[in-house]
Amino acid sequence: MFSYLIRRILYAVPILLGVMVLTFFLFFVVQKPETMARNVLGKRATPQTIAEYLHKRGYDKPRFINREPGQPFYDSIFFTQLQKLATFDLGVSDVTGRDLKTVFKEGAIPSLLLTLPAFFVGFIMAVGLALYLVFVRETRLDAAGALVSIALMSVPPMIYIIFGQAVIALTFNYFPAFGFELSGLTTLKFLLLPVSLIVVMGLGSDVRLYRAIFLEEIGQDYVRTAQAKGVSSTRLLLVHVLKNGMIALITLVVAHLPLLVMGSLLIENFFGIPGLGNLLVSAIQTSDFATVRASVYLGSILYLIGLAATDVCYALVDPRIRLS
Amino acid sequence: MKKVCLLRLAELSGVARPCLAAIWLLAFLLTGCHNDPNPKPWREKRADGKPWVVRYASMPEEVRSLDPQVSYDSISRMVLEPVQDCLLEYAPMKIDPYELQPCLLESIPSRTMNADGTVDYLCKLKRGIFFHDDPCFPRGKGRELVAADVHFSIQRLCDPKVESPISANLAEYIAGMTEATDAAKRNGERFDYATMKVSGVEALDSHTFKLHLLKPYPQILYWMAMHFMAPVAQEAVNYYDGLPHADGSRGEMISRPLFRFHPVGTGPFKIVEWVRGQRFRFVRNENYRTTVFPSEGWPKERDAVNGPLAGHALPLVDEVQLGIFRELLPMWLLTRQGYLDRFAVQKDAFNSLISATKGLTPKYADRGLKLEKAVEVSTFYISFNQQDPVIGTNKKLRQALSCAYNPQGFIDILYGGVAPIAQQLLSPGVFGYQKDFRNPYAFNLEKGRRLIAEAGYPNGIDPATGQPLKITMDTTANSSAERQLAEYEQRQLEQLGIHVEVVENTFARMLEKEDQGNFQIAAGTGWGADYPDPENYFFLFASSNFPPTGKNINRYKNPEFDQLFEKMASMENSPERLEIARKLNEILIEDCPMVLNFHKAYFVVTQPWSPETQVNMMLEGGFKYMTVDPALREQKRREWNAVALWPIPVAIALVIAGLGYAVYINRRRNV
């Protein structure tokens, strides 16, 4: 397994390089640093002020390769950025000048407070409902469950947010429609609605998928044997089918775990939760290249970690699989 | 009673027990929760026992920098304004025209013209104004503001490390700024505040200073009303260095914030809380005596609100909570719940709030909401490239295009019909704005068709090709709304029989094209004024102001205009200046280097408990003049936020029915 992991890490290098080239292309070729400088410095900025701003941040260097005589070829924006990201030197925000490590640390807490409970509650609910549908399979309720699941999958996320804010928060007046406070039980008050919305948003597709997995399990020989031995339907589902179906489920969900730290773009933005999703939207709106670049880089690393973790989990929970 | 309940719970079956527990938990959460998102006020009561009054406001984005010498965006200025007073300020109630009044200065500075062409302004600071109490001062007590603080601020404008975006603009006028900047650059970009003095700011005594200008520039007074020239304490800049320092009380190393995130001003409020990405909390500066509520200048209909406040100490409220809302929908929802005191009406809420007659819809009028119209000091227009061989050389063609365009549709799409059509370059309230002036080349299709024929393109046909005249219009169309607007402009201009090709650009590419003059028509151009002076509008068309150094993207060049502009720019307001401004307007309208579109404006809705004291768009919030009736607010909030109980039993019934059905299926299958 060790050699497999080493290989996996080596595979990650070209992928990360690709991500860096792509983000670099987007932020230094499609959208130019001069635009960002103008945004930051305002409409009165003279070409000289803009040039000084870019020079201080090293954005006036050649883009890819330095062809200036006497200059090393790698003294360019691309290689400087590459070196910084490779050494996890995230630098400072282009707009506010704040240290990005601190900014990310501050944002990770609200993001995790939102996404972790949503992930676990969503997982438990989806498994529970999928088992329920398997339990009532081939009945009208099962068909209705499938229909509702498809409906939940088809509704765009924005509609959930509008429903949550306009109906649950505004008409029923249960929860605040907006806001966040990091202080004990008060935090719960702000999180209940957005967490519920994330759960419901993912419920349709998860229930459909998990139901299919459990239905596959229920057709297996060992289930028929257990039934023949007189095991009750409830025990059959909650012990035999659930346990074996979990092998497939765990490998599916582990990939998402590391990415939870990056938060949720839409929900954080609409509910004013100061997490990393909110940070990214704000950085895009203000042309804060450094923050967007660091966000994309961290997101890619976390995604790759998730994929590697999935493989490892597969091997751990299913003795038939060996990583080599 | 409690015992009985516990007994009954113990007797319940396995399925019912968790159900009941879930109901209890839900009931606990709903009773424990309330939908008020605002944190508790900073204090419950004032020192004198009176109720603590809070104002709830909103802004759309996080601030970039709170360094007075750096902040240029309106969001940062909105946070700085309550904290950092300026030398002068805008008279809050006077918007027709806008007027300056003293703030930190005793009076509007008097001007002396010198024989060598230089100009001096004698400025006297009010005595007894103190910086906010802050750890950067000895024993944490704010010290008195002195003239040296103004000199320090101007030095900061010259410091390359501060990166002030307007340093180059002011260096053109304030003596010694260029020299000080150059000295710092020679010194490895290190500004030595002890030796690199700016000769343009001469302290005469502790509270009096003379500002030396290299040439006449009456607009310097407007700059004095902006934060760039606001005095800053050197102690605060040195103290807030962003580095860890030993905390005297506990010996731990504590990182201090950077000065740009910790302003120490003399304003009516102090920042007591800044939760990044969420909100600012300002609390009254108890020592604030700099200004009082004005006693005149408002329109008659505001008499009832403003009259009793005349001469009142400022600020009127004890605390302002300024929330950051990146999306508009939550802002509107919170306004409906009574958790925001004021709301600038945006697209999402427009149809609910505004009736066809541009009044409040009955539902919200009955709630006691009030509607105000706020017109920004800005003008938007479609630019013609005067160096283009087709458009630039044919005045009648430009006039025809101007006549073909009806801005009303654009305004309806973008601003719900609220923004006024621009008849001239100057916006309302600016010195030189003519209320009765009507643009002779405003929308008039018949006239447009006549003019295009006179221009050499009868019915829009280019005689050289026999085809409709082809004109290219560049725009930044990054969203569906922008595309819709571009299409509207295209359709309007094509009424003349010409063909308009729309070229969509990224924002960066558009800036590049404007800088290079690489366009025929540029849509979506305009100007939000820095100050309400005709110079700040007409300079957009001065030939000395061509890109990339200037803003004359139309590349308009007219010697008569230039000559009059130069004369007008250095004059103080007078009947003669007014006459020149009128003449400049006439020249511009006749030459038609742009199609005038609109002045940006929007509706503002205020709650019944927070009447609007002013709608001065030169102020960024004007929080010190805002007032609130907290008792009425509390009453209305209770009325508007009653918790609906019926969905709870419905939800519980559905869950129980589902479980019951499962039990039924189970029993049937196991039979």
Side-chain angles (χ1 to χ4, degrees):
Chain A
M1 189 189 283
F2 183 70
S3 62
Y4 174 81
L5 280 177
I6 296 287
R7 253 203 333 273
R8 197 75 213 221
I9 291 167
L10 289 176
Y11 286 154
V13 173
I15 296 174
L16 281 177
L17 199 65
V19 169
M20 282 192 242
V21 171
L22 198 68
T23 39
F24 179 82
F25 184 78
L26 281 174
F27 287 105
F28 287 93
V29 181
V30 176
Q31 183 85 311
K32 290 180 182 155
E34 286 82 4
T35 318
M36 176 196 66
R38 282 191 182 198
N39 272 342
V40 174
L41 297 172
K43 59 193 178 183
R44 282 266 185 175
T46 60
Q48 190 199 346
T49 318
I50 291 171
E52 281 169 8
Y53 177 90
L54 294 174
H55 179 69
K56 278 185 190 160
R57 284 151 186 81
Y59 290 157
D60 59 343
K61 290 182 183 175
R63 267 183 220 154
F64 286 100
I65 307 259
N66 195 336
R67 294 176 200 281
E68 295 282 315
Q71 300 281 329
F73 76 92
Y74 52 82
D75 189 19
S76 66
I77 305 178
F78 178 68
F79 284 105
T80 315
Q81 300 292 327
L82 198 69
Q83 183 220 334
K84 280 186 176 171
L85 289 179
T87 53
F88 285 95
D89 174 9
L90 301 180
V92 295
S93 154
D94 280 335
V95 173
T96 63
R98 289 191 74 209
D99 175 42
L100 283 177
K101 269 187 192 148
T102 316
V103 171
F104 279 99
K105 270 186 213 159
E106 281 175 6
I109 297 164
S111 278
L112 284 174
L113 281 173
L114 174 73
T115 50
L116 266 183
F119 177 78
F120 286 112
V121 172
F123 182 68
I124 293 166
M125 278 188 75
V127 169
L129 283 170
L131 280 174
Y132 178 79
L133 289 181
V134 171
F135 189 75
V136 297
R137 65 190 174 279
E138 291 159 26
T139 63
R140 279 184 201 157
L141 199 60
D142 182 24
L147 196 75
V148 171
S149 296
I150 291 167
L152 287 175
M153 284 162 70
S154 316
V155 175
M158 267 308 298
I159 302 294
Y160 286 108
I161 293 173
I162 292 172
F163 174 82
Q165 291 189 324
V167 178
I168 299 176
L170 179 72
T171 311
F172 296 166
N173 292 312
Y174 290 159
F175 308 111
F178 183 87
F180 184 77
E181 222 172 307
L182 200 58
S183 63
L185 272 178
T186 319
T187 314
L188 196 66
K189 166 176 115 173
F190 289 104
L191 286 176
L192 274 170
L193 182 57
V195 165
S196 312
L197 288 179
I198 297 182
V199 169
V200 177
M201 278 180 202
L203 209 55
S205 55
D206 287 353
V207 168
R208 291 282 295 158
L209 182 66
Y210 300 169
R211 177 181 167 277
I213 290 169
F214 291 138
L215 275 179
E216 201 182 313
E217 283 300 321
I218 218 156
Q220 300 285 328
D221 290 345
Y222 72 89
V223 174
R224 252 201 318 278
T225 313
Q227 262 174 335
K229 286 171 82 175
V231 176
S232 72
S233 310
T234 327
R235 189 176 160 74
L236 194 70
L237 268 182
L238 296 181
V239 178
H240 298 274
V241 173
L242 178 62
K243 198 174 165 188
N244 285 291
M246 283 304 259
I247 295 174
L249 292 192
I250 284 172
T251 53
L252 276 172
V253 296
V254 163
H256 297 294
L257 267 174
L259 269 181
L260 293 180
V261 76
M262 297 307 287
S264 161
L265 290 186
L266 264 183
I267 293 278
E268 284 182 16
N269 217 26
F270 270 86
F271 283 90
I273 297 168
L276 294 184
N278 207 336
L279 177 76
L280 182 58
V281 174
S282 163
I284 293 169
Q285 281 172 351
T286 54
S287 302
D288 186 348
F289 292 175
T291 306
V292 177
R293 204 167 46 231
S295 274
V296 173
Y297 181 66
L298 287 181
S300 328
I301 290 180
L302 291 170
Y303 187 66
L304 290 171
I305 291 173
L307 289 182
T310 308
D311 291 350
V312 173
C313 277
Y314 229 154
L316 289 179
V317 295
D318 192 342
R320 290 168 297 182
I321 291 169
R322 289 279 168 275
L323 298 178
S324 59
Chain B
M1 183 69 187
K2 204 174 178 183
K3 212 171 180 179
V4 174
C5 285
L6 286 172
L7 264 175
R8 281 187 183 164
L9 180 65
E11 286 163 8
L12 287 169
S13 71
V15 177
R17 213 181 297 171
C19 277
L20 195 67
I23 293 167
W24 278 4
L25 182 68
L26 194 66
F28 164 77
L29 285 174
L30 287 177
T31 46
C33 277
H34 52 92
N35 63 355
D36 186 353
N38 298 316
K40 281 183 184 164
W42 196 247
R43 296 196 204 296
E44 282 182 6
K45 282 186 174 164
R46 288 182 190 173
D48 58 7
K50 288 182 182 163
W52 183 265
V53 183
V54 187
R55 173 108 186 165
Y56 299 97
S58 61
M59 61 179 189
E61 190 50 74
E62 179 63 281
V63 296
R64 299 176 178 191
S65 165
L66 295 177
D67 186 328
Q69 273 72 58
V70 176
S71 302
Y72 199 1
D73 62 297
S74 62
I75 305 294
S76 303
R77 292 208 313 260
M78 189 187 240
V79 177
L80 259 182
E81 189 185 80
V83 182
Q84 178 77 58
D85 268 349
C86 297
L87 297 172
L88 300 175
E89 65 179 8
Y90 286 94
M93 310 302 163
K94 296 179 179 173
I95 58 169
D96 188 20
Y98 289 97
E99 243 182 71
L100 288 173
Q101 67 180 24
C103 185
L104 292 174
L105 294 183
E106 270 181 5
S107 56
I108 302 283
S110 56
R111 180 168 90 155
T112 314
M113 304 286 277
N114 300 320
D116 59 355
T118 60
V119 181
D120 294 339
Y121 282 90
L122 184 67
C123 308
K124 279 189 178 176
L125 288 168
K126 287 176 184 167
R127 289 183 182 264
I129 292 175
F130 288 83
F131 282 102
H132 297 159
D133 292 346
D134 192 278
C136 68
F137 297 112
R139 295 182 302 285
K141 295 294 284 180
R143 66 156 172 81
E144 193 179 3
L145 173 76
V146 289
D149 297 316
V150 180
H151 179 253
F152 178 65
S153 300
I154 306 297
Q155 277 185 306
R156 292 194 79 234
L157 291 176
C158 308
D159 185 344
K161 286 207 169 68
V162 173
E163 290 189 323
S164 175
I166 52 85
S167 173
N169 303 87
L170 285 183
E172 212 181 308
Y173 302 102
I174 299 179
M177 273 186 73
T178 310
E179 290 79 357
T181 308
D182 291 346
K185 283 181 182 165
R186 283 195 302 274
N187 196 30
E189 305 252 310
R190 283 214 320 274
F191 197 95
D192 182 355
Y193 284 86
T195 57
M196 296 172 188
K197 304 285 182 194
V198 179
S199 58
V201 186
E202 182 194 351
L204 301 180
D205 63 42
S206 64
H207 286 74
T208 314
F209 65 95
K210 224 176 211 179
L211 192 67
H212 301 293
L213 299 191
L214 298 167
K215 52 186 172 182
Y217 187 55
Q219 293 75 21
I220 194 72
L221 296 180
Y222 293 112
W223 286 98
M224 288 187 194
M226 294 162 88
H227 288 109
F228 299 114
M229 288 181 74
V232 162
Q234 190 163 8
E235 298 93 313
V237 177
N238 293 343
Y239 187 86
Y240 292 106
D241 55 5
L243 300 171
H245 291 267
D247 177 7
S249 55
R250 284 172 294 174
E252 293 169 27
M253 294 298 277
I254 307 266
S255 275
R256 289 178 192 159
L258 285 163
F259 176 70
R260 66 168 175 268
F261 300 128
H262 191 107
V264 181
T266 55
F269 290 96
K270 293 182 276 191
I271 296 174
V272 290
E273 186 186 47
W274 177 7
V275 188
R276 284 183 193 273
Q278 280 181 267
R279 71 171 168 275
F280 278 89
R281 201 199 284 252
F282 304 93
V283 165
R284 160 199 295 278
N285 169 12
E286 296 292 349
N287 303 321
Y288 190 74
R289 307 280 180 275
T290 313
T291 53
V292 293
F293 198 92
S295 47
E296 44 113 24
W298 54 77
K300 220 172 173 40
E301 60 270 21
R302 244 183 267 274
D303 259 349
V305 175
N306 291 356
L309 296 171
H312 199 286
L314 295 174
L316 298 175
V317 296
D318 301 292
E319 178 181 334
V320 175
Q321 288 190 19
L322 185 58
I324 299 166
F325 293 73
R326 290 214 175 88
E327 296 295 336
L328 303 172
L329 179 68
M331 231 191 288
W332 168 222
L333 296 179
L334 262 53
T335 307
R336 283 168 69 178
Q337 291 176 315
Y339 296 128
L340 278 178
D341 294 334
R342 179 185 190 272
F343 175 65
V345 183
Q346 310 284 350
K347 263 188 154 184
D348 288 347
F350 204 89
N351 290 339
S352 310
L353 266 171
I354 312 294
S355 68
T357 53
K358 300 286 177 270
L360 270 177
T361 49
K363 180 182 173 185
Y364 291 101
D366 290 348
R367 276 185 159 209
L369 266 64
K370 295 272 182 297
L371 195 64
E372 302 270 356
K373 187 173 167 180
V375 183
E376 283 191 3
V377 188
S378 66
T379 306
F380 288 82
Y381 46 84
I382 302 170
S383 289
F384 294 135
N385 184 355
Q386 292 289 113
Q387 288 182 344
D388 179 77
V390 179
I391 300 261
T393 52
N394 195 331
K395 189 164 86 175
K396 296 246 176 193
L397 175 61
R398 295 196 299 272
Q399 290 169 342
L401 290 168
S402 178
C403 286
Y405 181 74
N406 183 1
Q408 195 56 52
F410 192 100
I411 293 164
D412 289 344
I413 297 170
L414 196 62
Y415 292 103
V418 63
I421 292 177
Q423 299 287 344
Q424 54 201 301
L425 182 65
L426 302 184
S427 60
V430 176
F431 181 83
Y433 174 78
Q434 302 165 63
K435 274 184 200 147
D436 303 326
F437 181 81
R438 291 290 167 267
N439 178 5
Y441 303 107
F443 178 60
N444 182 342
L445 200 51
E446 207 178 305
K447 188 174 179 180
R449 286 185 177 131
R450 203 176 63 240
L451 281 166
I452 201 162
E454 288 171 22
Y457 304 98
N459 296 320
I461 302 295
D462 184 351
T465 61
Q467 298 290 318
L469 173 69
K470 192 180 149 196
I471 290 176
T472 310
M473 184 173 79
D474 279 272
T475 179
T476 48
N478 296 321
S479 65
S480 56
E482 277 185 296
R483 279 195 191 97
Q484 197 186 351
L485 293 169
E487 271 175 37
Y488 176 78
E489 287 165 328
Q490 180 190 28
R491 278 202 310 275
Q492 289 284 302
L493 300 181
E494 285 185 343
Q495 292 181 105
L496 293 175
I498 60 170
H499 172 59
V500 177
E501 191 179 301
V502 177
V503 179
E504 296 178 0
N505 300 279
T506 59
F507 181 60
R509 181 75 188 122
M510 192 69 204
L511 288 179
E512 221 171 74
K513 282 187 170 179
E514 286 174 2
D515 277 355
Q516 295 163 354
N518 183 16
F519 66 92
Q520 269 192 304
I521 302 181
T525 52
W527 185 250
D530 294 311
Y531 40 82
D533 189 80
E535 177 265 352
N536 198 233
Y537 278 99
F538 288 126
F539 89 119
L540 297 168
F541 293 90
S543 68
S544 54
N545 203 17
F546 271 26
T549 45
K551 299 289 168 198
N552 184 355
I553 58 161
N554 307 56
R555 286 169 163 72
Y556 176 72
K557 191 172 183 175
N558 179 331
E560 189 192 358
F561 181 92
D562 286 344
Q563 196 189 353
L564 284 169
F565 169 75
E566 289 303 328
K567 189 175 177 192
M568 184 274 304
S570 58
M571 288 171 81
E572 289 198 321
N573 287 349
S574 62
E576 191 193 352
R577 191 174 196 237
L578 192 65
E579 198 43 52
I580 297 176
R582 282 183 179 166
K583 182 72 188 154
L584 286 170
N585 180 51
E586 272 171 32
I587 296 173
L588 216 50
I589 291 292
E590 184 58 27
D591 272 350
C592 209
M594 77 290 197
V595 181
L596 287 163
N597 210 344
F598 62 93
H599 305 294
K600 200 170 172 182
Y602 46 86
F603 282 125
V604 173
V605 164
T606 54
Q607 303 278 18
W609 56 80
S610 60
E612 199 81 332
T613 51
Q614 46 78 24
V615 284
N616 188 330
M617 298 305 284
M618 293 312 296
L619 301 178
E620 297 288 353
F623 292 129
K624 67 179 174 180
Y625 305 108
M626 298 292 194
T627 177
V628 155
D629 176 352
L632 180 62
R633 176 167 61 192
E634 198 46 43
Q635 182 204 326
K636 291 285 180 191
R637 277 185 181 178
R638 271 201 299 273
E639 271 175 38
W640 296 349
N641 292 291
V643 174
L645 291 172
W646 66 264
I648 302 167
V650 170
I652 292 167
L654 280 173
V655 172
I656 291 173
L659 288 172
Y661 186 73
V663 171
Y664 163 73
I665 297 275
N666 189 29
R667 283 193 182 153
R668 209 176 59 178
R669 281 189 181 157
N670 286 334
V671 167

